Amino acid sequence: MSSIPPRDYQRLLVKVSGGYLATDQRTIDRARLDFVVEQLRPLHEEGLEISMVVGGGNVLRGAKEKSLGMNRSYLDSMGMLATVINGMALAEAFRGAGIASAPYSAIQMRHDNVRNWNLEEVRTFTAGGGIPIFVGGTGLPFFSTDTGGVVRALQMDADIMIKASRVDGVFNKDPELHADAELIPVLKYADALALNLQPLDQAAFALARENNLPIAVLNLGTPNVLERWYRGEDLGTLVCN
Ligand code: UDP
């Protein structure tokens, strides 16, 4: 057991990109789903209130689909639906592991397996130990699920948003291109702007900063990263005011 005190958080919102659920072979990979569930499980067992936002980039990103020759708003609608599919998969993986979970959509839907976003209902669900998966982003085109994550984190009164990353946090330069890139353990929002570092897209960044929402950028691929971080280990980057 670590002697470092656990972090003082009760409510977390975890944002996972759609790409995280995919492999080269599969758009949604069972092992990736289960890995996410196992990362979250210790914090859930700890009694933390957890909610999640999932992206849709494994299927479609509106801004990147110019070759389809469709307008951006239409493509974004498709992207938002992609997040619904991911959320359904993730919720089912949680349920399979004995943890109550359901996708809650920002896009109004009439669907047996998807619930419509409703703050009261979601609060009751998390208070009862469920993990809601927020899908459909903000419900509006021209936004991202990072922005959806910040909005939902604020609506849920989350203490912090965790952004699952493929790398260990925010670096002074791209660690996938530069071997000498250095991890920044604590990054002030003002410095992120000054250094032109982008832990979130601009709209999400502005909203988080304005509302004083801290963001922990963690490499979800690191075994037990969430539990170790929660127990106080110095992992990832904390972005805050
Ligand atoms: N999207 C949108 N509005 C939102 C959130 C998402 O229109 O509020 C669309 C947009 O086309 C986006 C796609 O859904 O590219 C998938 O979301 P995102 O790119 O954020 O997913 P991630 O990269 O996190 O997997």
Side-chain angles (χ1 to χ4, degrees):
M1 281 294 285
S2 150
S3 58
I4 317 165
R7 289 171 202 270
D8 191 18
Y9 299 126
Q10 261 97 58
R11 246 179 243 131
L12 309 177
L13 183 131
V14 182
K15 153 77 209 290
V16 178
S17 289
Y20 196 81
L21 306 180
T23 58
D24 291 343
Q25 287 77 38
R26 292 180 200 285
T27 308
I28 301 178
D29 182 81
R30 181 69 209 209
R32 303 302 292 253
L33 293 171
D34 291 339
F35 189 74
V36 173
V37 169
E38 290 315 313
Q39 290 278 35
L40 269 297
R41 186 199 287 282
L43 302 192
H44 181 256
E45 283 172 358
E46 195 73 30
L48 295 181
E49 280 188 21
I50 299 167
S51 49
M52 295 189 71
V53 163
V54 68
N58 51 329
V59 180
L60 190 139
R61 282 204 183 99
K64 299 229 165 108
E65 298 290 344
K66 295 198 175 63
S67 66
L68 289 179
M70 299 171 192
N71 81 42
R72 170 70 190 273
S73 169
Y74 194 88
L75 290 168
D76 281 341
S77 283
M78 292 164 70
M80 286 187 267
L81 282 177
T83 71
V84 179
I85 297 174
N86 285 337
M88 287 177 68
L90 207 45
E92 184 66 359
F94 274 110
R95 288 193 293 258
I99 298 172
S101 183
Y104 283 87
S105 174
I107 311 162
Q108 290 290 304
M109 300 190 78
R110 208 168 149 179
H111 190 292
D112 286 346
N113 304 109
V114 182
R115 303 177 186 180
N116 290 315
W117 159 264
N118 174 291
L119 183 58
E120 290 314 310
E121 198 184 317
V122 164
R123 280 188 192 279
T124 307
F125 192 65
T126 51
I131 300 186
I133 319 282
F134 302 139
V135 297
T138 61
L140 292 170
F142 302 99
F143 286 102
S144 67
T145 52
D146 276 4
T147 307
V150 174
V151 172
R152 295 301 186 220
L154 294 170
Q155 286 183 293
M156 295 300 290
D157 285 324
D159 302 304
I160 189 161
M161 170 168 143
I162 295 170
K163 171 151 165 115
S165 170
R166 285 186 304 153
V167 294
D168 286 346
V170 182
F171 288 77
N172 60 347
K173 43 190 161 178
D174 188 341
E176 288 178 338
L177 300 178
H178 304 274
D180 62 341
E182 284 168 25
L183 179 77
I184 305 173
V186 178
L187 178 64
K188 301 282 181 196
Y189 277 111
D191 295 340
L193 273 182
L195 298 169
N196 201 19
L197 295 171
Q198 285 288 343
L200 301 171
D201 66 69
Q202 272 177 28
F205 183 93
L207 196 62
R209 182 183 187 194
E210 210 171 286
N211 290 282
N212 214 8
L213 178 73
I215 316 274
V217 182
L218 295 170
N219 185 348
L220 203 65
T222 305
N224 305 321
V225 69
L226 292 182
E227 182 179 21
R228 287 168 53 198
W229 167 83
Y230 178 68
R231 302 246 173 262
E233 259 184 68
D234 264 335
L235 289 164
T237 299
L238 178 68
V239 190
C240 56
N241 274 316

